[in-house]
Amino acid sequence: MNERFAQYREKATEYWNRFSGKQKILFFSTLFIIIVIIIVLTMQLSKTEYEVAFRDLDNTDSAGVMTYLDGAGIPYRLSPDGRSISVPSTQANRIKIDIGSQGIVQEGSIGYKVFDESSSMIGTTDSEFNVKYNNALNGEVEQLMRRMQGIKDVKVLITLPKETVFASQEGQEQAYASIVLTFDPGFRASQDNIDGYFNLVKTAVPNLPVDNITITSNETELMPSAKGGQAGISSQVEENFALQKKFEEEVKKNVKQFLSTLTGPDKVDVLVFSKLNFDKESRTEDIVTPVDMENMRGIEISSQIISNTFSGQSNTTGGVAGTGSEDVSGYPSGADTGTSTSEESSETRNYEVNRITKDIIASPYTVKDLTINVAVEPPAGQTTLDEATSGAIQNILVNIVRASLADSGVTYTDADLTKKVSVYSQQFGGNTAEAATGGLATWMIWAIGAAALLVGAGGGFLIYRSRKNKQLEEEVEEDIPLQVPTEFPSINLESVTNESQVRKQLESLAKKKPDEFVNLLRTWLADEQR
């Protein structure tokens, strides 16, 4: 066994020695990196991930949650400020449900659940019960308001009146509520939010009117719309102003679009001012009218006539009352007889009239006043509009104003409507600019500008091209090698005795080497000029 182990070790050593030093270093480096990666992955996979399950807790709630987690053996992490607790992410949902079902987190307030937890078989006194009930009511209102939008923290103090059996419901004292709110960072409560806060407290506490509720924030006191909340007034004013501007813009667009067909485009400018009635009225009318308007009578639905006649004998008393010895004082004495007749007649008629009941809701946004001013550019060659065109435009504007003010409740005459419109001639800025340019049309100005731009671009291109060519020539001259001086052929004239021989040599040179012949001639000419 030892020999075999020695053989294996010898083979391994021999195999290891085959590698060079760089290969051994690379092997150990790779092995080290693999080991580090395995360790990091193992730590990451085995590490417990924590998730914030409870935040913004007070000391009481934090202590309750920690006690529950310690008892259940669940690990947790407490934030440095002690207001947030993190639990393992795999158990976060279950822990939230368990703690929520047990009512451990009260958010700094107690509710009606306190009566279930601290109930006593012996009972409580009236004073103790009143204190617990008041605290529980404060806690319930706090828990409700924390669920409202934008509220981070809230403190509620409610003062309940003393109940008495001798006072009627109207004579009982009213409750009061004082509330301090802390909003989330960056949140600004709108008037709708503020009204919701007041309505929530009003409905949660019995016998508590809105006037007895005081709600303040870190910045200022909040006011409901019923007490003149500025947020509600400002939002309503902004909405009304936006509706008024929208109406004016619509009238302006319609007038300008219609008049452009008469005068041409871009030759009309319209200015509109209006006043709208934003009051919303609701009323009920009970009206009774006769059916027959001429006789002012209704429809006869029943009639009864009764007539009675009586005739007979009767005793007529006479004498002086109470004069006899046996007479009764105050009664007449003696008797006499006579004939009497009487008649009785009665007539009853029942009439039915028209009974009309109207529930009228007057719609707001009616136009109370409207003024339209129109500036029209006169045609070419004229300084003002002609009377026919001006009168036609004014009639159109009067009709528009009359239709708009039909529901205003005020009767306007033609003279009143004429005062609400105005038409005048005006030269617009475009004509002045054209006159300043010597009467040139707009398209001519643009054409001249485009031509100038093209000329400038062409000149710039030529300058750029000339500079580029010059630069290329300089580069070529630098690259071209210097030419070696040409050696001109020479003819020894002293050894030549005959002109014919000179001519033959020159012709032979001209045929065989024409370039050298030309250079020879140039040399001779240069020498002669010197």
Side-chain angles (χ1 to χ4, degrees):
M1 186 69 181
N2 294 331
E3 294 177 358
R4 183 174 296 180
F5 180 74
Q7 291 177 0
Y8 289 153
R9 185 176 61 182
E10 184 179 355
K11 290 180 180 180
T13 304
E14 182 180 357
Y15 179 77
W16 175 254
N17 292 330
R18 293 179 184 177
F19 296 100
S20 62
K22 294 182 179 180
Q23 291 176 340
K24 293 179 180 179
I25 294 174
L26 181 61
F27 174 77
F28 282 112
S29 301
T30 305
L31 181 62
F32 176 76
I33 293 173
I34 292 174
I35 294 174
V36 171
I37 292 175
I38 292 174
I39 294 174
V40 171
L41 290 177
T42 304
M43 294 177 60
Q44 291 294 330
L45 294 176
S46 61
K47 185 175 64 175
T48 303
E49 295 289 340
Y50 284 87
E51 176 184 344
V52 179
F54 306 97
R55 63 180 74 246
D56 298 332
L57 300 175
D58 60 357
N59 296 333
T60 304
D61 293 339
S62 298
V65 174
M66 292 169 60
T67 302
Y68 171 82
L69 296 177
D70 290 336
I74 300 174
Y76 62 88
R77 289 181 179 178
L78 184 65
S79 62
D81 59 356
R83 296 179 59 87
S84 299
I85 297 177
S86 302
V87 297
S89 57
T90 56
Q91 307 179 32
N93 295 330
R94 183 180 62 82
I95 294 173
K96 290 179 182 178
I97 294 174
D98 293 342
I99 292 180
S101 62
Q102 297 183 20
I104 298 176
V105 177
Q106 298 290 338
E107 296 181 350
S109 60
I110 59 175
Y112 291 131
K113 194 175 180 180
V114 67
F115 294 103
D116 298 333
E117 298 175 351
S118 60
S119 59
S120 175
M121 297 181 63
I122 300 176
T124 58
T125 62
D126 292 342
S127 300
E128 184 180 358
F129 177 81
N130 291 335
V131 171
K132 287 185 176 180
Y133 176 77
N134 200 357
N135 293 336
L137 183 59
N138 294 338
E140 289 291 336
V141 175
E142 289 178 1
Q143 294 177 12
L144 289 175
M145 295 200 69
R146 280 194 180 94
R147 299 179 180 271
M148 300 292 287
Q149 180 184 5
I151 296 180
K152 181 180 180 181
D153 192 15
V154 59
K155 185 63 177 177
V156 178
L157 178 61
I158 298 175
T159 304
L160 297 176
K162 295 182 178 180
E163 297 182 357
T164 174
V165 297
F166 299 102
S168 61
Q169 185 69 22
E170 292 77 7
Q172 290 183 358
E173 296 182 1
Q174 296 177 345
Y176 292 86
S178 300
I179 302 172
V180 178
L181 300 178
T182 301
F183 294 115
D184 293 332
F187 177 79
R188 288 189 175 274
S190 63
Q191 190 61 41
D192 293 336
N193 298 127
I194 296 174
D195 293 338
Y197 304 154
F198 278 91
N199 291 331
L200 176 63
V201 179
K202 174 187 175 183
T203 55
V205 181
N207 198 22
L208 177 61
V210 176
D211 295 338
N212 293 354
I213 302 174
T214 302
I215 301 179
T216 60
S217 64
N218 297 334
E219 299 177 356
T220 182
E221 180 180 357
L222 307 181
M223 301 293 291
S225 299
K227 297 174 65 175
Q230 296 299 321
I233 295 176
S234 60
S235 61
Q236 188 66 33
V237 170
E238 292 178 359
E239 181 180 356
N240 294 343
F241 181 75
L243 290 173
Q244 181 175 343
K245 295 300 293 183
K246 183 178 180 181
F247 170 76
E248 293 177 355
E249 291 294 332
E250 190 69 20
V251 173
K252 178 179 178 180
K253 183 184 71 174
N254 294 334
V255 172
K256 190 172 183 179
Q257 182 178 0
F258 181 77
L259 295 182
S260 296
T261 60
L262 301 178
T263 60
D266 300 331
K267 291 189 176 183
V268 179
D269 196 7
V270 181
L271 181 63
V272 178
F273 288 99
S274 65
K275 185 177 181 181
L276 303 183
N277 183 12
F278 297 99
D279 298 334
K280 185 177 182 180
E281 180 182 359
S282 178
R283 67 180 186 273
T284 301
E285 295 182 354
D286 293 329
I287 302 175
V288 179
T289 59
V291 179
D292 187 0
M293 298 298 296
E294 295 182 359
N295 300 322
M296 299 298 291
R297 297 178 60 180
I299 299 176
E300 184 176 345
I301 58 175
S302 63
S303 176
Q304 181 180 10
I305 301 175
I306 300 174
S307 179
N308 296 322
T309 302
F310 299 95
S311 178
Q313 298 294 326
S314 64
N315 294 326
T316 304
T317 58
V320 180
T323 56
S325 57
E326 297 180 355
D327 294 338
V328 179
S329 177
Y331 285 86
S333 61
D336 194 3
T337 60
T339 303
S340 63
T341 303
S342 64
E343 294 182 358
E344 180 182 359
S345 178
S346 64
E347 181 177 358
T348 302
R349 298 179 184 273
N350 294 323
Y351 294 91
E352 183 65 27
V353 295
N354 296 327
R355 303 179 186 274
I356 303 173
T357 301
K358 295 182 179 180
D359 293 330
I360 302 174
I361 299 178
S363 176
Y365 316 124
T366 56
V367 182
K368 296 177 63 176
D369 197 3
L370 180 63
T371 302
I372 303 178
N373 304 299
V374 176
V376 182
E377 183 180 2
Q382 298 182 9
T383 57
T384 58
L385 289 174
D386 56 279
E387 295 182 359
T389 304
S390 178
I393 294 175
Q394 188 168 4
N395 292 334
I396 294 172
L397 299 179
V398 168
N399 292 333
I400 294 174
V401 174
R402 180 184 289 111
S404 301
L405 298 178
D407 297 331
S408 62
V410 181
T411 303
Y412 293 97
T413 62
D414 293 340
D416 297 334
L417 295 176
T418 304
K419 294 179 181 179
K420 296 182 179 297
V421 300
S422 61
V423 180
Y424 60 96
S425 303
Q426 177 66 38
Q427 291 288 345
F428 292 167
N431 292 342
T432 305
E434 291 180 1
T437 56
L440 295 178
T442 305
W443 67 270
M444 295 180 64
I445 298 175
W446 282 103
I448 294 173
L453 182 62
L454 290 175
V455 171
F461 176 76
L462 293 177
I463 294 172
Y464 170 78
R465 185 175 179 181
S466 62
R467 291 181 178 178
K468 190 69 175 178
N469 294 335
K470 185 177 180 180
Q471 184 178 2
L472 292 175
E473 291 176 358
E474 292 176 356
E475 293 177 358
V476 170
E477 290 178 357
E478 292 176 359
D479 296 335
I480 295 175
L482 296 176
Q483 296 181 357
V484 179
T486 305
E487 295 182 359
F488 298 104
S490 59
I491 300 175
N492 191 2
L493 298 179
E494 296 179 354
S495 60
V496 179
T497 58
N498 192 356
E499 293 181 0
S500 60
Q501 294 179 355
V502 175
R503 184 179 298 173
K504 289 179 181 181
Q505 290 182 2
L506 291 176
E507 289 177 356
S508 176
L509 181 62
K511 291 178 181 181
K512 295 179 180 181
K513 298 180 180 180
D515 296 334
E516 296 181 0
F517 177 73
V518 173
N519 292 330
L520 180 60
L521 294 177
R522 290 178 178 175
T523 304
W524 287 349
L525 294 174
D527 293 339
E528 290 180 358
Q529 289 178 1
R530 292 176 183 176

